[in-house]
Amino acid sequence: MQQPNAYIGTPQNRVDGRAKVTGGAKYAAEFEAPDLAFGIVVSSAIAKGRIKSIDTSAALAVPGVLQVFTHENRPRTAWLDRNFRDETAPPGSPFRPLYDDKVIYSGQPVALVVAEEFELAAHAASLVRVEYETEPHMTDLDLKRSEAYVPPKKRSGVKPPPSPRGDAEGVFAQAPVKVHAEYRVAIEHHNPMETHASTVVYEDDGTLTIHDKTQGAQNSQSYVASVFGLSSSQVRVVSPYIGGAFGSGLRPQYQLFLAVMAALELKRSVRVVLTRDQMFTFGFRPLTIQTISLGANPDGKLLSIMHDATQTTSTFEDYQEVVVNWSNLLYHCDNVKLTYKLAQVDTYTPTDMRAPGAALGVAAIETAMDELAYATGIDPVELRLRNYAEMDEADKKSFTSKELRACYQLGAERFGWEKRNPEPRSMRDGRELVGWGMASGVWEAIMQKTAARAVLTQDGNLEVASATMDIGTGTYTILTQIAAETLGLPMTSVATKIGDSSLPKSPVQGGSWTAASAGSAVQNACLSVREQIFKYARQMESSPLANASIEQVTFAEGRIHLTNDPSASVTFAEAMQAGGVERIEAEEKASPGMLTSMRYSGYSHSAVFAEVKVDEELGVIRVTRIVTAVAAGTILNPKTARSQILGGVVFGLGMALEEESMLDHNLGRFMNHNLAEYHVPVNADVYDIDVIFVSEHEEMLNPLGIKGLGEIGVVGTAAAIGNAIFHATGKRIREYPITIDKLLG
Amino acid sequence: MNRFSYLRATSIDEAVREAAADPTARFIAGGTNLIDLMKYNVERPTRLIDITRLPLDRIEESDGGGLRIGALVTNDEAAYDPRIHDRYPLLSSAILAGASPQLRNSATTGGNLLQRTRCYYFYDPGTPCNKREPGTGCPATTGRNRIHAILGTSEHCIATHPSDMAVALAALEAVVHIAGPDGERTIALSDFHRLPGDHPEIDTILQHGEIITAVELPSTDFSRNYTYLKLRDRLSYAFALVSVAVALRMEGETIAEARLALGGVAHKPWRDPEAEAMLRGQSAAEGLFASVAACILKDAKGYEDNAFKIDLAKRAIIRALFQAASGTPQSQTDKRIQ
Ligand SMILES: Cc1cc2nc3c(=O)[nH]c(=O)nc-3n(C[C@H](O)[C@H](O)[C@H](O)COP(=O)(O)OP(=O)(O)OC[C@H]3O[C@@H](n4cnc5c(N)ncnc54)[C@H](O)[C@@H]3O)c2cc1C
Ligand code: SF4
């Protein structure tokens, strides 16, 4: 029988599920405040130039309009770049809303209209007249590629490519088998369901309580404090629920600045919600052009890997992500040259988007590996096994754990891969060509220093708290599981509080590090409570546990008992009464182990298998089946974990076939800025997705062995689908998304 | 969004009178297109005349043995109406190929015909657009034009009409019933929408103040050999890149009567009498269908992003003709192309 309260690793419903489906869960734009005013953003029509004049008189004349903020009348804010920088900012000068008359990208906010009613503000915003003096802009990476440069300043947390090893060029030139190709992935916008919004509540004492759509309550808090010269005690950010973000909420976005600015100036509460089209006026996954050269022996063994990527960034910041390093992480090779460059265009700075860098780099290397499989006549899975990286060769470290082999094996078995005829165009179902393709996925298992608090009260209730976030991933649920199991309480006795800047310190939610980081912090805090309560239990008069050590007891159902004699037990309440305490409180941190990270590399892995059916004449693609086998250490909750992977796979499907933000280079503007024309997968696009969690023993990264699941589902999916399309049609499309025109072209 | 007043019309006369009196008044039916356009500041009516309470929500037998679909019949009511489903399955199929169930529940027959183009620029008042603001130019011709027209374009506008329903109605030779300040009139659906020419700001022949009261389907029976084939950027809930409505009357193996309309390729549902004539009296054959496709597309003109539509339309026409001729119409739920 299951140990009572043994929740870790078991499928549990979301603890916030009921609140979400009944509307009890409040999102940033749903918080009310007395006298709330509403702000609407006016966006620039041009990509570059200056604002010659801005006529706000008609807007101001609308009864109920409180103010129109522009660069001409905005209040003073901090003026050092560093004040505008946030936890995840790349090097450079962060964008400052309404700073001066300069327009540096299309869609830039140029005014904020604030009114008593939302509709009034929207109406008045349409009356603001802006005259521009345009300057020539450039948004076309192809025309800027020749000016690409290696970012002079590294972005914190983003590993630059390692120095070259061996002689990749020389060996490639001599290699018996060669693959050399260019790959592109289109610009994508995150497009979470919830558009960005901030409700700034102006409290009676002049302090601010802010409900912001963010992946980091404390990141938003410190940004607001430093930009507006407030102390951290004057700003509290409370964002308990986030309607998806995928990275778009990592940086404080301009609606936060504008709402706070207006609230401070008007001394009243203000809400600013961006429209769907304005969701295309800040960060995005940048356009990336990659060139890969693989040199190999006829037996498929890689002799040389060269992987180069050029991405766009803005003119004001050097955005960076890890695009090319994955090639050598997945495959053993002695001659490796990985390079990464940026080219500046007149758009906003790109922003991390789910599996930043990896989704792009792995799409390219895994397509190239498929090309190598055909060039050598070796089965794609076998080719990967022959080149399997046993260690992190760039850093010369061992892996903390790596069950990618098992992913290939279990995924292939479940998929029925051995029945595949390797010949392209060899499988068919009526008019449809059938294709089977596969790819690997990899993502770093990251831990970030995070703190958590646990408070146990005599009534047997436990509250755990950390300033971390749940962006829809299931953080509430897994933290509740960890806390309940650690202290031996039913999950229903645990309340998890997150998404509030006043709680113990946490970094932004991102990079798949939250489960490992906040999970470990919560575990540590609960362990500390456990020790204290055990101390009281032992000290009780005639305690049955007097002579026991903590290793000899079990915590379950609100009591502590001898593991080999459950009748010798003390309830939490008894122990606390005996100790004379009403509550036991502990705050602890969890940090990445320095020793581990010096010697080991931690990554999660996956093997993705895809079946596509392609109408031979019409090029209509259906992804009829996906099997993804994931090795990511401990799976805390197979139910929410599966949902994460399903979502990730669908995200990858979008990258493979649909998502593309189209820039009009003449106007320097994204044009398909709505969900009717920016296509993300709909139900009809999604057929069977089978998720396998491969068991992986992980003990080095953190005591629970957590690696995280937010990104891994995305990585590899696009390439698996692209490779399946090649197998079906014999046509290699090296430009994602693979749309009808490319397939028929 | 601008300020507007609102009137709920109680009779067709009142609706027409009120609309005619105010040049910036608009009728509102399902609102699924108009409200969006108002939010984008593309449409700025000062007066909304709500016609949803008018007695135009019925599907009735017409004198000539056809059906008369009231302008306020919703898209879903029409698609699932047993009479339409049985006698005009092409229409049901085309409606169900469009939008989503939620939208179809609100969208009306009249509104569907009058929905405006999905051209990116038209929707974005931050950009020029001849259709939205005559004389400002057409950035689509040199910009992003993946979803734009290849037939019947002008240098002033290359937008498409996005309706699926209208494509089927064109093939079925439906007739639009109109009431206006000067009385009632009817017009063939194929003549209802216009080409952009020098006036892309005008989508249809409807005059200000005129209201669509019904769409009438003639009695001709195309319930056996028909199809609506829609190709798009995802398997559902996207506007057509190219769509083909085919209605055939077969006598044995011979095509006795043929109608073919294309969607997603022009400012209106596109019919080509010459191509239809080529089919008459012939039996289904790849070569014939290919020459019909070539004939329809002979004057097509592609732009940077949408040139692929020319070839795609040809392929779609050939497939759709086969689907119709063999009595295996495209399913709108099974996304495999028949
Ligand atoms: C996300 C999205 C996806 C869509 N996908 C598709 C698709 O794939 N295929 C497709 O065909 N359509 C699609 N549509 C469009 C949808 O079909 C139209 O919005 C709908 O049919 C419009 O009908 P309505 O009654 O809501 O019109 P309204 O918005 O009420 O009106 C539209 C226009 O028609 C005028 N009008 C309405 N009724 C009358 C009348 N009786 N007489 C005179 N004037 C009138 C109004 O004044 C207005 O100018 C989509 C829409 C959206 C928002
Ligand atoms: S194609 Fe027509 S609707 Fe589109 S920008 Fe040109 S004029 Fe406007």
PDB file of all heavy atoms in Angstrom, chain B residues 27 29-34 51 71 98-99 103 107-108 111-112 114-115 163-164 211-212 230 237-239, ligand 1:
ATOM      1  N   PHE B  27     -25.921  49.027 -40.110  1.00  0.00           N
ATOM      2  CA  PHE B  27     -26.718  47.948 -39.512  1.00  0.00           C
ATOM      3  C   PHE B  27     -25.794  47.057 -38.716  1.00  0.00           C
ATOM      4  O   PHE B  27     -24.642  46.856 -39.090  1.00  0.00           O
ATOM      5  CB  PHE B  27     -27.377  47.092 -40.603  1.00  0.00           C
ATOM      6  CG  PHE B  27     -28.337  47.865 -41.464  1.00  0.00           C
ATOM      7  CD1 PHE B  27     -28.165  47.915 -42.848  1.00  0.00           C
ATOM      8  CD2 PHE B  27     -29.417  48.530 -40.892  1.00  0.00           C
ATOM      9  CE1 PHE B  27     -29.053  48.611 -43.640  1.00  0.00           C
ATOM     10  CE2 PHE B  27     -30.308  49.240 -41.692  1.00  0.00           C
ATOM     11  CZ  PHE B  27     -30.126  49.284 -43.075  1.00  0.00           C
ATOM     12  N   ALA B  29     -25.808  43.123 -37.205  1.00  0.00           N
ATOM     13  CA  ALA B  29     -26.499  41.833 -37.075  1.00  0.00           C
ATOM     14  C   ALA B  29     -25.752  41.026 -36.013  1.00  0.00           C
ATOM     15  O   ALA B  29     -25.807  41.363 -34.835  1.00  0.00           O
ATOM     16  CB  ALA B  29     -26.549  41.138 -38.426  1.00  0.00           C
ATOM     17  N   GLY B  30     -25.023  39.996 -36.396  1.00  0.00           N
ATOM     18  CA  GLY B  30     -24.280  39.207 -35.407  1.00  0.00           C
ATOM     19  C   GLY B  30     -23.169  40.007 -34.741  1.00  0.00           C
ATOM     20  O   GLY B  30     -22.739  39.698 -33.636  1.00  0.00           O
ATOM     21  N   GLY B  31     -22.701  40.997 -35.439  1.00  0.00           N
ATOM     22  CA  GLY B  31     -21.668  41.862 -34.868  1.00  0.00           C
ATOM     23  C   GLY B  31     -20.268  41.272 -34.889  1.00  0.00           C
ATOM     24  O   GLY B  31     -19.321  41.906 -34.437  1.00  0.00           O
ATOM     25  N   THR B  32     -20.112  40.079 -35.412  1.00  0.00           N
ATOM     26  CA  THR B  32     -18.811  39.411 -35.298  1.00  0.00           C
ATOM     27  C   THR B  32     -17.742  40.049 -36.165  1.00  0.00           C
ATOM     28  O   THR B  32     -16.561  39.872 -35.929  1.00  0.00           O
ATOM     29  CB  THR B  32     -18.901  37.912 -35.662  1.00  0.00           C
ATOM     30  OG1 THR B  32     -19.339  37.804 -37.028  1.00  0.00           O
ATOM     31  CG2 THR B  32     -19.861  37.170 -34.763  1.00  0.00           C
ATOM     32  N   ASN B  33     -18.136  40.784 -37.163  1.00  0.00           N
ATOM     33  CA  ASN B  33     -17.147  41.495 -37.956  1.00  0.00           C
ATOM     34  C   ASN B  33     -17.169  42.990 -37.625  1.00  0.00           C
ATOM     35  O   ASN B  33     -16.138  43.609 -37.402  1.00  0.00           O
ATOM     36  CB  ASN B  33     -17.409  41.263 -39.447  1.00  0.00           C
ATOM     37  CG  ASN B  33     -16.261  41.754 -40.310  1.00  0.00           C
ATOM     38  OD1 ASN B  33     -16.475  42.294 -41.380  1.00  0.00           O
ATOM     39  ND2 ASN B  33     -15.027  41.578 -39.867  1.00  0.00           N
ATOM     40  N   LEU B  34     -18.362  43.541 -37.560  1.00  0.00           N
ATOM     41  CA  LEU B  34     -18.469  44.991 -37.362  1.00  0.00           C
ATOM     42  C   LEU B  34     -17.838  45.445 -36.040  1.00  0.00           C
ATOM     43  O   LEU B  34     -17.114  46.432 -35.995  1.00  0.00           O
ATOM     44  CB  LEU B  34     -19.949  45.411 -37.422  1.00  0.00           C
ATOM     45  CG  LEU B  34     -20.207  46.914 -37.313  1.00  0.00           C
ATOM     46  CD1 LEU B  34     -19.502  47.665 -38.426  1.00  0.00           C
ATOM     47  CD2 LEU B  34     -21.695  47.204 -37.332  1.00  0.00           C
ATOM     48  N   ILE B  51     -30.530  45.212 -36.239  1.00  0.00           N
ATOM     49  CA  ILE B  51     -31.614  44.616 -37.027  1.00  0.00           C
ATOM     50  C   ILE B  51     -31.989  43.223 -36.547  1.00  0.00           C
ATOM     51  O   ILE B  51     -32.791  42.533 -37.168  1.00  0.00           O
ATOM     52  CB  ILE B  51     -31.230  44.559 -38.528  1.00  0.00           C
ATOM     53  CG1 ILE B  51     -29.934  43.780 -38.731  1.00  0.00           C
ATOM     54  CG2 ILE B  51     -31.107  45.970 -39.102  1.00  0.00           C
ATOM     55  CD1 ILE B  51     -29.611  43.500 -40.195  1.00  0.00           C
ATOM     56  N   ALA B  71     -32.187  37.017 -43.927  1.00  0.00           N
ATOM     57  CA  ALA B  71     -30.864  37.605 -43.717  1.00  0.00           C
ATOM     58  C   ALA B  71     -30.352  37.402 -42.298  1.00  0.00           C
ATOM     59  O   ALA B  71     -29.158  37.447 -42.044  1.00  0.00           O
ATOM     60  CB  ALA B  71     -30.888  39.096 -44.041  1.00  0.00           C
ATOM     61  N   GLY B  98     -16.164  27.304 -42.373  1.00  0.00           N
ATOM     62  CA  GLY B  98     -15.723  28.638 -41.957  1.00  0.00           C
ATOM     63  C   GLY B  98     -15.782  28.864 -40.466  1.00  0.00           C
ATOM     64  O   GLY B  98     -16.551  28.220 -39.753  1.00  0.00           O
ATOM     65  N   ALA B  99     -14.949  29.779 -40.012  1.00  0.00           N
ATOM     66  CA  ALA B  99     -14.976  30.299 -38.645  1.00  0.00           C
ATOM     67  C   ALA B  99     -14.993  29.180 -37.601  1.00  0.00           C
ATOM     68  O   ALA B  99     -14.374  28.134 -37.782  1.00  0.00           O
ATOM     69  CB  ALA B  99     -16.155  31.247 -38.482  1.00  0.00           C
ATOM     70  N   LEU B 103     -18.587  31.508 -33.469  1.00  0.00           N
ATOM     71  CA  LEU B 103     -18.836  32.594 -34.426  1.00  0.00           C
ATOM     72  C   LEU B 103     -20.055  32.297 -35.282  1.00  0.00           C
ATOM     73  O   LEU B 103     -20.885  33.166 -35.528  1.00  0.00           O
ATOM     74  CB  LEU B 103     -17.612  32.794 -35.323  1.00  0.00           C
ATOM     75  CG  LEU B 103     -16.463  33.564 -34.670  1.00  0.00           C
ATOM     76  CD1 LEU B 103     -15.147  33.260 -35.351  1.00  0.00           C
ATOM     77  CD2 LEU B 103     -16.753  35.054 -34.704  1.00  0.00           C
ATOM     78  N   ALA B 107     -23.001  34.737 -36.263  1.00  0.00           N
ATOM     79  CA  ALA B 107     -22.906  35.311 -37.606  1.00  0.00           C
ATOM     80  C   ALA B 107     -24.189  35.047 -38.380  1.00  0.00           C
ATOM     81  O   ALA B 107     -24.789  33.982 -38.285  1.00  0.00           O
ATOM     82  CB  ALA B 107     -21.724  34.695 -38.342  1.00  0.00           C
ATOM     83  N   THR B 108     -24.600  36.022 -39.171  1.00  0.00           N
ATOM     84  CA  THR B 108     -25.852  35.905 -39.921  1.00  0.00           C
ATOM     85  C   THR B 108     -25.586  35.804 -41.419  1.00  0.00           C
ATOM     86  O   THR B 108     -24.495  36.111 -41.892  1.00  0.00           O
ATOM     87  CB  THR B 108     -26.729  37.144 -39.684  1.00  0.00           C
ATOM     88  OG1 THR B 108     -26.036  38.294 -40.202  1.00  0.00           O
ATOM     89  CG2 THR B 108     -27.024  37.349 -38.206  1.00  0.00           C
ATOM     90  N   GLY B 111     -24.860  39.327 -42.786  1.00  0.00           N
ATOM     91  CA  GLY B 111     -23.562  39.802 -42.303  1.00  0.00           C
ATOM     92  C   GLY B 111     -22.413  39.053 -42.960  1.00  0.00           C
ATOM     93  O   GLY B 111     -21.378  39.629 -43.283  1.00  0.00           O
ATOM     94  N   ASN B 112     -22.616  37.772 -43.163  1.00  0.00           N
ATOM     95  CA  ASN B 112     -21.558  36.970 -43.775  1.00  0.00           C
ATOM     96  C   ASN B 112     -21.204  37.505 -45.164  1.00  0.00           C
ATOM     97  O   ASN B 112     -20.026  37.610 -45.522  1.00  0.00           O
ATOM     98  CB  ASN B 112     -22.002  35.506 -43.843  1.00  0.00           C
ATOM     99  CG  ASN B 112     -20.849  34.584 -44.209  1.00  0.00           C
ATOM    100  OD1 ASN B 112     -20.151  34.828 -45.182  1.00  0.00           O
ATOM    101  ND2 ASN B 112     -20.648  33.536 -43.431  1.00  0.00           N
ATOM    102  N   LEU B 114     -21.510  40.446 -46.156  1.00  0.00           N
ATOM    103  CA  LEU B 114     -20.977  41.809 -46.082  1.00  0.00           C
ATOM    104  C   LEU B 114     -19.754  41.919 -45.191  1.00  0.00           C
ATOM    105  O   LEU B 114     -19.278  43.011 -44.919  1.00  0.00           O
ATOM    106  CB  LEU B 114     -22.079  42.752 -45.599  1.00  0.00           C
ATOM    107  CG  LEU B 114     -23.162  42.970 -46.659  1.00  0.00           C
ATOM    108  CD1 LEU B 114     -24.387  43.608 -46.051  1.00  0.00           C
ATOM    109  CD2 LEU B 114     -22.622  43.805 -47.803  1.00  0.00           C
ATOM    110  N   GLN B 115     -19.244  40.800 -44.727  1.00  0.00           N
ATOM    111  CA  GLN B 115     -18.008  40.863 -43.956  1.00  0.00           C
ATOM    112  C   GLN B 115     -16.922  41.417 -44.856  1.00  0.00           C
ATOM    113  O   GLN B 115     -16.951  41.257 -46.068  1.00  0.00           O
ATOM    114  CB  GLN B 115     -17.622  39.484 -43.435  1.00  0.00           C
ATOM    115  CG  GLN B 115     -17.333  38.457 -44.513  1.00  0.00           C
ATOM    116  CD  GLN B 115     -16.797  37.155 -43.930  1.00  0.00           C
ATOM    117  OE1 GLN B 115     -15.757  37.139 -43.285  1.00  0.00           O
ATOM    118  NE2 GLN B 115     -17.516  36.073 -44.162  1.00  0.00           N
ATOM    119  N   SER B 163     -15.400  35.318 -47.364  1.00  0.00           N
ATOM    120  CA  SER B 163     -16.496  34.424 -46.994  1.00  0.00           C
ATOM    121  C   SER B 163     -16.404  33.065 -47.688  1.00  0.00           C
ATOM    122  O   SER B 163     -16.127  32.979 -48.880  1.00  0.00           O
ATOM    123  CB  SER B 163     -17.833  35.069 -47.359  1.00  0.00           C
ATOM    124  OG  SER B 163     -18.877  34.113 -47.274  1.00  0.00           O
ATOM    125  N   ASP B 164     -16.687  32.016 -46.951  1.00  0.00           N
ATOM    126  CA  ASP B 164     -16.848  30.685 -47.539  1.00  0.00           C
ATOM    127  C   ASP B 164     -18.268  30.513 -48.066  1.00  0.00           C
ATOM    128  O   ASP B 164     -18.484  29.977 -49.148  1.00  0.00           O
ATOM    129  CB  ASP B 164     -16.574  29.603 -46.481  1.00  0.00           C
ATOM    130  CG  ASP B 164     -15.107  29.555 -46.107  1.00  0.00           C
ATOM    131  OD1 ASP B 164     -14.284  29.288 -46.991  1.00  0.00           O
ATOM    132  OD2 ASP B 164     -14.784  29.805 -44.927  1.00  0.00           O
ATOM    133  N   ILE B 211     -30.863  47.236 -47.216  1.00  0.00           N
ATOM    134  CA  ILE B 211     -30.684  46.118 -46.293  1.00  0.00           C
ATOM    135  C   ILE B 211     -30.901  44.812 -47.064  1.00  0.00           C
ATOM    136  O   ILE B 211     -31.763  44.745 -47.954  1.00  0.00           O
ATOM    137  CB  ILE B 211     -31.687  46.242 -45.115  1.00  0.00           C
ATOM    138  CG1 ILE B 211     -31.403  45.210 -44.031  1.00  0.00           C
ATOM    139  CG2 ILE B 211     -33.129  46.128 -45.585  1.00  0.00           C
ATOM    140  CD1 ILE B 211     -32.215  45.456 -42.753  1.00  0.00           C
ATOM    141  N   ILE B 212     -30.109  43.838 -46.737  1.00  0.00           N
ATOM    142  CA  ILE B 212     -30.352  42.517 -47.315  1.00  0.00           C
ATOM    143  C   ILE B 212     -31.484  41.887 -46.517  1.00  0.00           C
ATOM    144  O   ILE B 212     -31.425  41.860 -45.279  1.00  0.00           O
ATOM    145  CB  ILE B 212     -29.106  41.613 -47.218  1.00  0.00           C
ATOM    146  CG1 ILE B 212     -27.948  42.217 -48.008  1.00  0.00           C
ATOM    147  CG2 ILE B 212     -29.410  40.193 -47.699  1.00  0.00           C
ATOM    148  CD1 ILE B 212     -26.659  41.417 -47.912  1.00  0.00           C
ATOM    149  N   LYS B 230     -11.619  23.407 -49.026  1.00  0.00           N
ATOM    150  CA  LYS B 230     -10.992  24.633 -48.510  1.00  0.00           C
ATOM    151  C   LYS B 230      -9.573  24.329 -48.061  1.00  0.00           C
ATOM    152  O   LYS B 230      -9.358  23.444 -47.240  1.00  0.00           O
ATOM    153  CB  LYS B 230     -11.831  25.153 -47.330  1.00  0.00           C
ATOM    154  CG  LYS B 230     -11.256  26.402 -46.677  1.00  0.00           C
ATOM    155  CD  LYS B 230     -12.176  26.911 -45.572  1.00  0.00           C
ATOM    156  CE  LYS B 230     -11.610  28.171 -44.929  1.00  0.00           C
ATOM    157  NZ  LYS B 230     -12.445  28.671 -43.824  1.00  0.00           N
ATOM    158  N   TYR B 237     -10.463  26.692 -38.613  1.00  0.00           N
ATOM    159  CA  TYR B 237     -10.449  28.029 -38.036  1.00  0.00           C
ATOM    160  C   TYR B 237      -9.385  28.928 -38.664  1.00  0.00           C
ATOM    161  O   TYR B 237      -8.607  29.573 -37.983  1.00  0.00           O
ATOM    162  CB  TYR B 237     -10.227  27.932 -36.521  1.00  0.00           C
ATOM    163  CG  TYR B 237     -10.676  29.144 -35.748  1.00  0.00           C
ATOM    164  CD1 TYR B 237     -11.665  29.970 -36.242  1.00  0.00           C
ATOM    165  CD2 TYR B 237     -10.106  29.458 -34.521  1.00  0.00           C
ATOM    166  CE1 TYR B 237     -12.077  31.084 -35.535  1.00  0.00           C
ATOM    167  CE2 TYR B 237     -10.509  30.567 -33.799  1.00  0.00           C
ATOM    168  CZ  TYR B 237     -11.490  31.378 -34.309  1.00  0.00           C
ATOM    169  OH  TYR B 237     -11.892  32.475 -33.600  1.00  0.00           O
ATOM    170  N   ALA B 238      -9.348  28.911 -39.976  1.00  0.00           N
ATOM    171  CA  ALA B 238      -8.497  29.859 -40.694  1.00  0.00           C
ATOM    172  C   ALA B 238      -9.206  30.166 -41.995  1.00  0.00           C
ATOM    173  O   ALA B 238      -9.932  29.323 -42.534  1.00  0.00           O
ATOM    174  CB  ALA B 238      -7.125  29.272 -40.964  1.00  0.00           C
ATOM    175  N   PHE B 239      -8.995  31.370 -42.474  1.00  0.00           N
ATOM    176  CA  PHE B 239      -9.612  31.743 -43.742  1.00  0.00           C
ATOM    177  C   PHE B 239      -8.945  30.971 -44.873  1.00  0.00           C
ATOM    178  O   PHE B 239      -7.815  30.513 -44.749  1.00  0.00           O
ATOM    179  CB  PHE B 239      -9.491  33.245 -43.951  1.00  0.00           C
ATOM    180  CG  PHE B 239     -10.358  34.019 -43.009  1.00  0.00           C
ATOM    181  CD1 PHE B 239      -9.861  34.491 -41.795  1.00  0.00           C
ATOM    182  CD2 PHE B 239     -11.697  34.236 -43.306  1.00  0.00           C
ATOM    183  CE1 PHE B 239     -10.680  35.174 -40.908  1.00  0.00           C
ATOM    184  CE2 PHE B 239     -12.516  34.924 -42.422  1.00  0.00           C
ATOM    185  CZ  PHE B 239     -12.007  35.388 -41.225  1.00  0.00           C
TER     186      PHE B 239
HETATM  187  C1  LIG C   1     -11.710  34.820 -35.967  1.00  0.00           C
HETATM  188  C2  LIG C   1     -12.694  34.786 -37.105  1.00  0.00           C
HETATM  189  C3  LIG C   1     -12.603  33.766 -38.041  1.00  0.00           C
HETATM  190  C4  LIG C   1     -13.502  33.718 -39.088  1.00  0.00           C
HETATM  191  N1  LIG C   1     -13.365  32.732 -40.004  1.00  0.00           N
HETATM  192  C5  LIG C   1     -14.210  32.711 -41.087  1.00  0.00           C
HETATM  193  C6  LIG C   1     -14.074  31.749 -42.101  1.00  0.00           C
HETATM  194  O1  LIG C   1     -13.201  30.881 -42.031  1.00  0.00           O
HETATM  195  N2  LIG C   1     -14.924  31.797 -43.157  1.00  0.00           N
HETATM  196  C7  LIG C   1     -15.898  32.734 -43.240  1.00  0.00           C
HETATM  197  O2  LIG C   1     -16.638  32.734 -44.218  1.00  0.00           O
HETATM  198  N3  LIG C   1     -16.044  33.671 -42.297  1.00  0.00           N
HETATM  199  C8  LIG C   1     -15.221  33.679 -41.229  1.00  0.00           C
HETATM  200  N4  LIG C   1     -15.378  34.643 -40.278  1.00  0.00           N
HETATM  201  C9  LIG C   1     -16.273  35.765 -40.550  1.00  0.00           C
HETATM  202  C10 LIG C   1     -17.673  35.564 -40.106  1.00  0.00           C
HETATM  203  O3  LIG C   1     -18.279  34.646 -40.959  1.00  0.00           O
HETATM  204  C11 LIG C   1     -18.328  36.934 -40.244  1.00  0.00           C
HETATM  205  O4  LIG C   1     -17.784  37.769 -39.240  1.00  0.00           O
HETATM  206  C12 LIG C   1     -19.816  36.857 -40.070  1.00  0.00           C
HETATM  207  O5  LIG C   1     -20.372  36.069 -41.050  1.00  0.00           O
HETATM  208  C13 LIG C   1     -20.425  38.240 -40.137  1.00  0.00           C
HETATM  209  O6  LIG C   1     -21.786  38.154 -39.827  1.00  0.00           O
HETATM  210  P1  LIG C   1     -22.451  39.076 -38.700  1.00  0.00           P
HETATM  211  O7  LIG C   1     -23.898  38.806 -38.712  1.00  0.00           O
HETATM  212  O8  LIG C   1     -21.760  38.896 -37.419  1.00  0.00           O
HETATM  213  O9  LIG C   1     -22.131  40.499 -39.323  1.00  0.00           O
HETATM  214  P2  LIG C   1     -21.969  41.901 -38.602  1.00  0.00           P
HETATM  215  O10 LIG C   1     -20.620  42.003 -38.012  1.00  0.00           O
HETATM  216  O11 LIG C   1     -23.126  42.196 -37.748  1.00  0.00           O
HETATM  217  O12 LIG C   1     -22.056  42.820 -39.878  1.00  0.00           O
HETATM  218  C14 LIG C   1     -21.109  42.816 -40.903  1.00  0.00           C
HETATM  219  C15 LIG C   1     -21.467  43.892 -41.916  1.00  0.00           C
HETATM  220  O13 LIG C   1     -22.658  43.578 -42.578  1.00  0.00           O
HETATM  221  C16 LIG C   1     -23.634  44.596 -42.429  1.00  0.00           C
HETATM  222  N5  LIG C   1     -24.930  43.900 -42.341  1.00  0.00           N
HETATM  223  C17 LIG C   1     -25.212  42.857 -41.533  1.00  0.00           C
HETATM  224  N6  LIG C   1     -26.425  42.364 -41.831  1.00  0.00           N
HETATM  225  C18 LIG C   1     -26.924  43.133 -42.834  1.00  0.00           C
HETATM  226  C19 LIG C   1     -28.131  43.120 -43.586  1.00  0.00           C
HETATM  227  N7  LIG C   1     -29.092  42.202 -43.368  1.00  0.00           N
HETATM  228  N8  LIG C   1     -28.301  44.036 -44.553  1.00  0.00           N
HETATM  229  C20 LIG C   1     -27.341  44.960 -44.807  1.00  0.00           C
HETATM  230  N9  LIG C   1     -26.200  45.016 -44.120  1.00  0.00           N
HETATM  231  C21 LIG C   1     -25.975  44.104 -43.151  1.00  0.00           C
HETATM  232  C22 LIG C   1     -23.219  45.351 -41.209  1.00  0.00           C
HETATM  233  O14 LIG C   1     -23.636  46.687 -41.294  1.00  0.00           O
HETATM  234  C23 LIG C   1     -21.702  45.243 -41.293  1.00  0.00           C
HETATM  235  O15 LIG C   1     -21.185  46.220 -42.139  1.00  0.00           O
HETATM  236  C24 LIG C   1     -14.517  34.692 -39.198  1.00  0.00           C
HETATM  237  C25 LIG C   1     -14.614  35.699 -38.250  1.00  0.00           C
HETATM  238  C26 LIG C   1     -13.715  35.762 -37.202  1.00  0.00           C
HETATM  239  C27 LIG C   1     -13.865  36.848 -36.201  1.00  0.00           C
END
